[in-house]
Every structure is written in C-alpha cells, then in structure tokens.
Amino acid sequence: MIPTKMVIASHNQKKVEEMRRILEQAGLEIEILGTDSFPDLQDVEETGSTFAANAMLKAKYVSNETGLPAVADDSGLCVDALNGMPGILSARWAGQHGNDHANLELLLAQIAHIPRKRRGASFVCAVAYCEPGGREFIVEGSMNGEIIDSPRGAHGFGYDPIFVPMGQSVTSAQLTAEEKDVISHRGHALKAFIRELSAG
Amino acid sequence: MIPTKMVIASHNQKKVEEMRRILEQAGLEIEILGTDSFPDLQDVEETGSTFAANAMLKAKYVSNETGLPAVADDSGLCVDALNGMPGILSARWAGQHGNDHANLELLLAQIAHIPRKRRGASFVCAVAYCEPGGREFIVEGSMNGEIIDSPRGAHGFGYDPIFVPMGQSVTSAQLTAEEKDVISHRGHALKAFIRELSAG
C-alpha cells in the first residue's frame, strides 16, 4: 500500500530536491517531508560497508524517530582505476564531509596519470525504504560513464561536473535536471523504488 | 649469473637506502649504483595498472639507458576498506607526488569512520629486474597488518607511521631498520629477488 506521508531521510538539500523532483514527477500522491520538519533528528553514522547498508541505516533511524515511512538514498561514484572507490566514501573523499569541490579536485589529481582508456566509472545509488512495523526494502540503480580531465557544467552536484555518462557528449552537470533524471543512477533507483512501493 | 654492477632505478632516496641496505645485508658482491650516478635519466611515467608493470617499466628504462642491469621497486599500501587503494597511487594519493605527510593524513581522514575490525591493510612490493639483452623477472612480497588512528614512530617513510604489522604492537615506523626488513613487503620481495638472481 502506498503511504500518504513519507520522510526523505537526508540532510543534503541538493539530494532531497532531486529525490523530491523525481518522486513528484512520477505522480505519486504522497506528502513528502524533509528532515527539516524534524529538528531533533541526528546525523546517522554511516557504518555500513555498502551503499545498501548505509541507506537502510538512515531509513530505519528516521522511520523509528518520526513514526513515519522513510526513504533514504546512499550513493556515490565508483571509479574503475580506483578499484571502485570513492564508493561509499564519495561525500568525504578529501576528508571533510560534503566538500564537493575538494572531493572532485582530489579525484582529478589521483587519476591525472591514468590514460583515457582506463577512465571508466559508475554512479551507483541505493534507495532504502522503511515503514514503522511494516515493509522494508532496498533497490539500486547505476549509470556508467567516464571521468574527464576537468569540470564542465553547473547543474547537479558532487562529481557531476567530471562525469560523462555513456552515450553522452556532455557531463552530468551539463544535462538539465529532466535529462539527468532519465538516465541517472538516482533516477533508475527511484523508478525501481516506485514500482516496488506500488506493488507491495 | 650474478652481475658485478647494478643500478637501483629509483629517485626516492629513502627507498634506495632501504633497498641498498637489504641487498648489502644479504652479502651480494655487487656494486650498487643509484640513479644519481646517471644525471640524464628521466622520471619514468608509471602508466601500468599493477605494481609489477610499473616496476618493470622503471627497470627496463634504466637498464636501456645505462646499459647496466637494473632493479626497480614499485610498492604501496592496499587498504581493505578502500578496495585495495591507494595501491599503485600510494605515492600520490593526496594529488602531489611524494608528499608523505599529506598522503597519510588524507588516508586517516578517509577511514576515520571505518570501525577497527575493518582496518585491515597490506603493504605490497614488486621488484623487477632487467639485464641488457638478458634476463627479466619480477618478484613480489607483502606484509599484512592494520591501520591505526594516528601516526606513531619516526623511522621508515610513507605510510609506515600508521601501519601496525600483524603480530606486532608497534607501527612499521617504530621498528628499527633491521626489524622492519625481516618482516616487510620490501624485505620479502628483495629476498625473493636475491634467490631468483642467484639461481639464474
């Protein structure tokens, strides 16, 4: 059954906007709340070793604290030449949580000597859902592409400016929100989420 | 046949010292030259995707340029929670080649939230040997252990101050040179190198 209210369990405003946009676009008739409506919520320590585990930690915590269904995303960029890292450490790759500029610059410096043919990468997104005393599930989505030498574009966030999705000639940060949602890891994961939510 | 002269193909003085020490300790009667004896040698771009490939790139270049047998090491720290990275990027993890302090501080920040039980890591060393028109071979050595929260000790170099070898209570940087050589990745690789060199 589709709930009437749901909390998006994230303090990242850019991510909340993107999730809200995709969910509303799908025509779900759910009142979607941000964590800003619940000032007592703490940051959840992301101690899991996978996107899925960390997403579920966040969804469970927010659902328990608010008594409402909660949906959480954990996502990141997995770079082939870095054995899949930054991965779950994407948001704190340069050491400080959420410094998009520092994270991106560090990544570019680390792969500066890596030849173009070994620049493959994937964005991965796990979406976890948790209802108080009810359903729990996790879905995932991904987007393949490659890392370029310097940032291009002003949309999106995180590593978008250095990632060219497969089949595109521009970076994720040069796509409009609507173009990005159609092909993005988060778009794919949230579409799977909506299917699962509607089927349950 | 054991050559009478050999060049250590590295511009890293700490590494050259350690290699020279281990080779001399083994009683090899070889005149060991550093790259400082050959001022025309360039830095070799490490374009390989493994320690072994990068070590061989360096050994071949120096052997070709000097007309002498050359031995090169490529080594690094492989951290489980970082899917085996920094790995071949160990020396430039923070973006700038050879900044030990920045590399180590970045690594500590990246794994700050990783629980103790997932702090496993290995130092890995590949040693490549190349004779002009003669033999070529590669051997490897490794040392398992775990990463601690803050640096301890003043010996060694690189990530030694944050790495506690398995079975030890101190970091690699708190061991004496002689203690380190017995258990280290470079010690193991160079012992294998000497066996192979003597057998050929």
Side-chain angles (χ1 to χ4, degrees):
Chain A
M1 210 179 75
I2 295 185
T4 54
K5 267 191 185 185
M6 188 165 71
V7 189
I8 296 182
S10 174
H11 295 292
N12 179 335
Q13 275 315 307
K14 293 266 190 183
K15 196 185 275 189
V16 172
E17 272 169 39
E18 199 167 294
M19 293 175 73
R20 188 191 290 273
R21 183 177 74 220
I22 297 171
L23 294 173
E24 287 175 353
Q25 189 76 21
L28 278 196
E29 291 183 359
I30 304 180
E31 183 185 352
I32 296 169
L33 304 168
T35 50
D36 46 352
S37 306
F38 304 92
D40 291 343
L41 291 175
Q42 309 291 308
D43 276 333
V44 178
E45 215 181 335
E46 300 181 6
T47 54
S49 58
T50 60
F51 294 117
N54 284 332
M56 189 51 89
L57 281 174
K58 291 184 272 191
K60 278 193 174 168
Y61 168 73
V62 170
S63 174
N64 284 338
E65 293 294 314
T66 62
L68 290 170
V71 60
D73 147 299
D74 197 54
S75 51
L77 180 64
C78 301
V79 177
D80 295 351
L82 300 177
N83 293 352
M85 301 306 293
I88 60 168
L89 301 180
S90 292
R92 51 174 186 250
W93 193 232
Q96 191 194 347
H97 198 282
N99 188 335
D100 279 5
H101 181 73
N103 289 335
L104 177 158
E105 289 296 329
L106 172 61
L107 184 67
L108 285 180
Q110 287 172 327
I111 65 165
H113 296 261
I114 308 280
R116 189 66 185 259
K117 63 175 193 270
R118 291 202 282 120
R119 288 294 189 91
S122 303
F123 269 116
V124 176
C125 174
V127 168
Y129 177 75
C130 182
E131 273 174 21
R135 282 201 289 169
E136 277 179 18
F137 62 83
I138 297 168
V139 291
E140 289 208 5
S142 65
M143 167 170 62
N144 295 327
E146 64 176 34
I147 308 296
I148 56 172
D149 287 326
S150 55
R152 295 204 310 251
H155 300 145
F157 59 99
Y159 300 92
D160 280 333
I162 58 170
F163 182 87
V164 173
M166 192 177 283
Q168 302 284 325
S169 55
V170 296
T171 69
S172 309
Q174 290 174 301
L175 297 173
T176 64
E178 293 68 28
E179 288 168 338
K180 183 181 169 190
D181 294 345
V182 171
I183 59 168
S184 82
H185 54 312
R186 191 167 292 109
H188 291 312
L190 286 172
K191 271 169 256 167
F193 165 71
I194 293 165
R195 280 194 297 273
E196 185 66 25
L197 191 70
S198 308
Chain B
M1 209 180 76
I2 295 185
T4 54
K5 267 189 185 185
M6 187 165 70
V7 190
I8 295 183
S10 174
H11 295 291
N12 180 333
Q13 275 316 305
K14 295 267 190 181
K15 196 184 275 189
V16 172
E17 273 169 38
E18 199 166 293
M19 292 175 74
R20 189 191 290 273
R21 183 178 75 220
I22 297 171
L23 294 173
E24 288 175 353
Q25 190 75 22
L28 278 196
E29 291 184 359
I30 305 180
E31 184 186 349
I32 295 170
L33 304 168
T35 51
D36 46 352
S37 307
F38 305 91
D40 291 343
L41 290 175
Q42 308 291 309
D43 277 332
V44 179
E45 215 181 333
E46 299 181 6
T47 54
S49 58
T50 61
F51 294 117
N54 284 330
M56 189 51 89
L57 281 174
K58 291 184 272 191
K60 277 194 174 169
Y61 169 74
V62 170
S63 174
N64 284 339
E65 293 293 314
T66 62
L68 291 170
V71 61
D73 146 300
D74 198 55
S75 51
L77 180 64
C78 301
V79 177
D80 295 351
L82 300 178
N83 293 353
M85 301 305 294
I88 59 168
L89 301 181
S90 291
R92 50 172 186 250
W93 193 231
Q96 191 194 347
H97 198 281
N99 189 334
D100 280 5
H101 180 72
N103 289 335
L104 176 158
E105 288 297 330
L106 173 61
L107 184 67
L108 285 180
Q110 287 171 327
I111 64 165
H113 297 261
I114 308 281
R116 190 65 185 259
K117 63 174 192 271
R118 291 200 284 119
R119 288 294 189 92
S122 303
F123 269 116
V124 176
C125 173
V127 168
Y129 176 74
C130 182
E131 273 174 21
R135 282 202 290 170
E136 277 179 18
F137 62 83
I138 297 168
V139 291
E140 289 208 5
S142 65
M143 167 170 61
N144 295 326
E146 64 176 34
I147 308 296
I148 56 170
D149 287 325
S150 54
R152 295 205 309 252
H155 301 144
F157 60 98
Y159 299 92
D160 280 334
I162 58 170
F163 182 87
V164 173
M166 192 176 283
Q168 301 285 324
S169 55
V170 297
T171 68
S172 309
Q174 291 174 300
L175 297 172
T176 63
E178 293 68 27
E179 288 168 339
K180 183 181 169 189
D181 294 346
V182 172
I183 60 169
S184 81
H185 53 312
R186 192 167 291 109
H188 290 312
L190 286 172
K191 271 168 257 166
F193 165 70
I194 293 164
R195 280 194 297 274
E196 185 65 26
L197 190 70
S198 309

